[in-house]
Amino acid sequence: MPHYGPEDRAVFETRATELFEVVVTSGGIKDDDPRITGDAESKAAFDLLVRLNLVTLDRAEDLWHAVDPSTVQAQVVTPMGTRGAELLTESGQWARAFSGLAQTWRRSGHTDRGPLTEIRGPDAIGAFLVASVADAEEELLTAQPQGLRDGATIDEAARRDKAALERGVRMRTLYQHSARRSTTTHKYVALVTELGAEVRTLDEFFNRIIIIDRRIAVIPGAGGPATAMVIREPNLLAYLVDMFERTWERGRPFTNRGSADQRDIALEQRQMTIRMLIEGHADPASAKRLGVSPRTYAGYIADLKDEYEAETRFQLGYTMGRLGISGNEPKGGGSES
């Protein structure tokens, strides 16, 4: 069976098509026509039509006649589709074979530069996370501060985490309370919890971390968001898992939307705002720790001013100090003025 490539198709779509139209409209073309003999410009196009069986020679008249293309198409296209399907199947099998090798390589000591490895660049970090999560067999623990992630990031995480959950990996994710205001985060949480994941939120600030099967942890690097540290040292991993578990215990289930729970969350955010104010943190730093925008944080401060009838922050601080307000009051404790 002859094979036809892109070069043949380029000739077919241009000169061969034009020549075929000539053969059809003229009722045939003589075998000795100068357009299809010798070094004629259309000779290559004519030879292709012959190879494709789109023209046939009537030897009695020495005349080339056109053939119905619908009777020829399957002879050319079907083998290509069959080869394409075979190649797709074979490429998938090769990919699985290489995946097994890659997993063995990543888990071996040859890939490590000691217990800590630095990764630089968002693309490199993303590629490492995709590969590592794809290797997860038992458990994913993730903490995502400032949970108002953009839609593209959420979509990428959803695809990655969905695949892990569908193959039986357990997953727990921790956000800040502010993530509850994000529509995209709500959609993500609905997807993963339906597949068995657990998601909680917390008022306090924490750093980003991903722990995979308790054998690898990925944390932010000192160089900012474009760097990450990969930790494989067992003692450090045990410490990080313990920190996650303690933080997880203080979190509130994301799926609980009861009015009482929402009031508790609002109270916790209010108390943290008070603590940030009393400790004298700048607004951008306080907003970051709460996981909200500076504008939203300024709104929290304005609400406190209204609540304590203060015109300035100084008056607000003085009033709260006089009343003994610290932001650490037990739930249910009032702020009587």
Side-chain angles (χ1 to χ4, degrees):
M1 179 68 64
H3 294 282
Y4 303 99
E7 293 181 357
D8 292 319
R9 180 172 47 78
V11 173
F12 179 73
E13 291 176 331
T14 55
R15 295 181 179 177
T17 298
E18 295 172 358
L19 183 58
F20 183 81
E21 291 176 355
V22 170
V23 176
V24 171
T25 56
S26 61
I29 188 171
K30 281 290 189 179
D31 188 34
D32 58 356
D33 190 296
R35 290 172 293 185
I36 61 173
T37 57
D39 297 328
E41 187 176 354
S42 301
K43 183 65 165 62
F46 176 74
D47 290 342
L48 179 59
L49 291 176
V50 173
R51 287 165 49 207
L52 289 169
N53 295 318
L54 282 169
V55 291
T56 182
L57 177 63
D58 182 344
R59 297 191 179 278
E61 301 179 1
D62 287 333
L63 192 67
W64 288 95
H65 293 284
V67 175
D68 182 355
S70 62
T71 64
V72 177
Q73 177 178 335
Q75 301 174 25
V76 177
V77 176
T78 300
M80 290 182 180
T82 302
R83 289 199 305 274
E86 291 172 350
L87 286 172
L88 284 173
T89 300
E90 187 67 18
S91 67
Q93 293 173 345
W94 275 101
R96 284 190 291 274
F98 269 101
S99 177
L101 292 180
Q103 183 173 344
T104 301
W105 176 258
R106 283 192 293 271
R107 292 188 176 206
S108 72
H110 301 294
T111 58
D112 300 347
R113 296 194 297 271
L116 303 176
T117 304
E118 184 178 51
I119 305 177
R120 293 183 175 272
D123 291 342
I125 295 171
F128 179 84
L129 287 176
V130 169
S132 298
V133 172
D135 288 344
E137 298 176 348
E138 298 178 0
E139 181 185 57
L140 289 173
L141 306 176
T142 70
Q144 302 285 354
Q146 296 173 277
L148 304 179
R149 295 185 289 174
D150 62 85
T153 303
I154 287 284
D155 289 343
E156 180 181 349
R159 288 191 295 271
R160 184 182 66 210
D161 298 341
K162 180 175 181 289
L165 289 164
E166 287 178 340
R167 62 175 185 271
V169 176
R170 300 185 305 277
M171 180 178 169
R172 284 183 287 162
T173 294
L174 189 65
Y175 286 113
Q176 286 179 276
H177 285 333
S178 57
R180 294 173 182 259
R181 295 195 304 274
S182 168
T183 302
T184 53
T185 303
H186 269 285
K187 291 179 180 178
Y188 164 80
V189 171
L191 171 67
V192 297
T193 52
E194 185 178 347
L195 294 172
E198 296 180 73
V199 183
R200 294 185 180 183
T201 65
L202 194 65
D203 62 329
E204 63 194 61
F205 177 77
F206 46 83
N207 252 321
R208 179 172 283 107
I209 188 171
I210 298 175
I211 303 174
I212 302 166
D213 289 341
R214 306 197 180 201
R215 60 181 176 79
I216 293 177
V218 183
I219 63 174
T227 62
M229 293 299 299
V230 180
I231 300 173
R232 297 181 176 87
E233 204 285 319
N235 294 304
L236 282 175
L237 281 168
Y239 176 77
L240 292 172
V241 170
D242 180 67
M243 287 186 62
F244 180 91
E245 295 289 2
R246 292 171 184 268
T247 307
W248 176 261
E249 289 301 319
R250 297 195 300 275
R252 296 183 179 277
F254 195 108
T255 53
N256 189 342
R257 299 184 184 182
S259 58
D261 193 67
Q262 291 298 326
R263 286 196 299 271
D264 289 341
I265 289 170
L267 175 61
E268 289 173 0
Q269 289 188 300
R270 174 185 179 279
Q271 289 179 318
M272 188 171 182
T273 301
I274 292 173
R275 293 197 296 272
M276 294 296 100
L277 182 65
I278 292 174
E279 292 169 11
H281 296 288
D283 281 10
S286 298
K288 180 179 180 181
R289 294 185 69 83
L290 275 162
V292 299
S293 68
R295 181 176 180 178
T296 299
Y297 178 75
Y300 291 170
I301 297 297
D303 289 342
L304 287 171
K305 286 181 180 179
D306 290 341
E307 181 179 346
Y308 289 98
E309 299 180 350
E311 295 292 334
T312 67
R313 290 195 184 206
F314 177 79
Q315 290 177 336
L316 176 62
Y318 173 80
T319 302
M320 288 193 299
R322 181 173 57 83
L323 295 172
I325 303 299
S326 66
N328 293 304
E329 290 73 25
K331 189 192 307 179
S335 56
E336 299 298 332
S337 55

